[in-house]
Amino acid sequence: MQVRSSEPSISTARNDPIQKIPTAEPQSEPEKKIRRRFRQKLAPPSRAYAPSYSDLASLMNANPEKAILRKFGDLNMKNLLYLQAELIELQDELGEISKGDDPLFDRDWFCLAHAEDNRQWTIMTEIRDVLKEYNDALTQQSFNFGFDRPHSYDLKVLRKLLVRPKMGNQFLLGLDSKAWNEDTEEDLICLSHQGDEDHLSKWVTDKFMVWIHYLFGRRLNQNTLVYYSEDRALRLLSLISTVLASILPIVAIVVLYVVPTTKYRLGILAGSTAVFALILSVVAKAKRSDGFAATAAFAAVQVVFIDISGPT
């Protein structure tokens, strides 16, 4: 859209890529909006590199957990309610008209569709269009409910990237810059499946890797993003968890073997079983019934060892 100007244009800062701002009085609301955007948003850039939609899109594509968007749940539901109300009105009108029409229309589609000035068929075609739109919206909204909520850490990182001077400095100029505000947090979804992480995995990705970055990573290059492979960290964590799961029963048996008296062994049995249950809840995302079964099996192994070794 071009905005005509009858007055000399005003030059902006030397480094501003857009050198002219329209000064003529706008003739329409869209032109007024453009004028306000030019005046308020096109400030001189604070650095040589200015991020854009392309950079944000590349970031989200490279890091699917940062692909966080609005689902507009309220608008989708309001649209469904309006379509439902429209269909109810059309259905009621169709029922009233069909009562006074020729009974043959209920038995012969050809007569219904080709009769002259047939209001019943006209309403039916309107219902067909609205019904298709309603079913599509209904299916899409059901699909939207299946998206995962973003992790709080990923959302926090995205917000920081958008406002940090070296990374974004709030480069989005329109109202969409508020898409990730706290008041819209309940309406945000993540396009990447988040899965059910255990507490330890969540701690590693949300806390431990952040500490590693502050200690070492940020010293490498302070002007660009530093990427860490979350998959590698989780694979290493899975290896550690597997080794730990195989060592715990052996350690418990060795301790029971060293302790000579039965009463001390029973105390160690209770303590080691509690520690096993605690570790299980931290490193594994197991069902409650599975947790009880694994803990009972761990305790049973120790009881069998105590019974075999005999009282002392």
Side-chain angles (χ1 to χ4, degrees):
M1 179 182 294
Q2 296 181 349
V3 182
R4 293 178 296 177
S5 173
S6 59
E7 300 177 10
S9 59
I10 302 175
S11 297
T12 58
R14 182 179 303 173
N15 293 329
D16 198 334
I18 300 179
Q19 296 295 330
K20 295 183 179 181
I21 298 177
T23 58
E25 287 297 325
Q27 302 297 321
S28 62
E29 287 300 324
E31 291 177 349
K32 290 180 181 179
K33 190 172 183 180
I34 292 174
R35 182 182 177 88
R36 288 196 298 269
R37 291 287 178 90
F38 273 118
R39 285 181 172 177
Q40 297 174 4
K41 304 297 185 180
L42 293 180
S46 59
R47 59 197 182 285
Y49 169 71
S52 62
Y53 282 113
S54 299
D55 298 296
L56 183 58
S58 298
L59 171 69
M60 290 183 173
N61 183 58
N63 302 268
E65 70 278 0
K66 303 297 186 300
I68 301 172
L69 301 170
R70 292 278 303 275
K71 67 177 179 180
F72 297 101
D74 291 345
L75 291 178
N76 278 311
M77 289 307 304
K78 185 178 289 187
N79 182 49
L80 280 171
L81 291 174
Y82 287 158
L83 289 172
Q84 176 181 261
E86 187 176 357
L87 282 172
I88 291 175
E89 291 288 340
L90 290 172
Q91 184 183 34
D92 183 72
E93 185 178 358
L94 179 65
E96 292 296 328
I97 292 177
S98 62
K99 291 178 182 178
D101 278 346
D102 192 332
L104 183 62
F105 290 166
D106 288 336
R107 302 172 59 191
D108 191 332
W109 168 84
F110 187 86
C111 293
L112 172 66
H114 294 84
E116 295 183 358
D117 300 328
N118 189 350
R119 178 60 180 164
Q120 182 179 165
W121 180 245
T122 301
I123 295 177
M124 190 62 223
T125 56
E126 293 179 11
I127 290 177
R128 179 181 294 169
D129 294 337
V130 178
L131 192 62
K132 182 179 184 305
E133 185 178 357
Y134 177 78
N135 288 333
D136 291 342
L138 197 67
T139 304
Q140 186 62 49
Q141 182 67 351
S142 175
F143 183 76
N144 288 343
F145 284 142
F147 282 110
D148 291 334
R149 295 283 304 278
H151 286 168
S152 58
Y153 172 73
D154 294 326
L155 181 57
K156 185 187 301 183
V157 169
L158 181 61
R159 286 170 176 167
K160 287 183 178 180
L161 289 175
L162 291 173
V163 300
R164 284 180 60 184
K166 292 183 179 180
M167 296 300 177
N169 200 20
Q170 201 58 60
F171 66 91
L172 294 176
L173 305 181
L175 293 177
D176 56 334
S177 62
K178 302 178 181 179
W180 299 274
N181 286 0
E182 292 184 0
D183 56 344
T184 65
E185 192 165 329
E186 295 297 324
D187 195 51
L188 294 175
I189 59 173
C190 183
L191 300 185
S192 173
H193 179 62
Q194 300 295 290
D196 296 326
E197 290 185 350
D198 55 78
H199 297 291
L200 184 58
S201 299
K202 185 172 175 52
W203 178 83
V204 168
T205 55
D206 292 0
K207 302 294 183 181
F208 181 73
M209 294 181 69
V210 176
W211 294 342
I212 293 297
H213 172 71
Y214 276 106
L215 290 175
F216 306 105
R218 65 175 182 171
R219 300 177 183 178
L220 299 177
N221 195 331
Q222 298 184 3
N223 295 321
T224 60
L225 289 175
V226 180
Y227 293 96
Y228 299 94
S229 175
E230 184 175 313
D231 292 337
R232 290 183 180 179
L234 293 180
R235 284 198 296 267
L236 178 61
L237 183 62
S238 177
L239 177 62
I240 295 174
S241 300
T242 303
V243 174
L244 184 63
S246 61
I247 289 178
L248 276 178
I250 298 175
V251 172
I253 296 299
V254 170
V255 172
L256 290 175
Y257 176 79
V258 173
V259 175
T261 59
T262 302
K263 60 179 181 179
Y264 291 144
R265 287 179 174 179
L266 293 177
I268 292 173
L269 186 151
S272 61
T273 303
V275 171
F276 176 82
L278 178 62
I279 293 176
L280 183 65
S281 65
V282 172
V283 302
K285 191 70 175 180
K287 295 181 180 179
R288 188 173 303 174
S289 58
D290 295 337
F292 275 114
T295 304
F298 180 79
V301 171
Q302 297 178 85
V303 170
V304 171
F305 177 81
I306 294 176
D307 181 64
I308 293 176
S309 60
T312 56

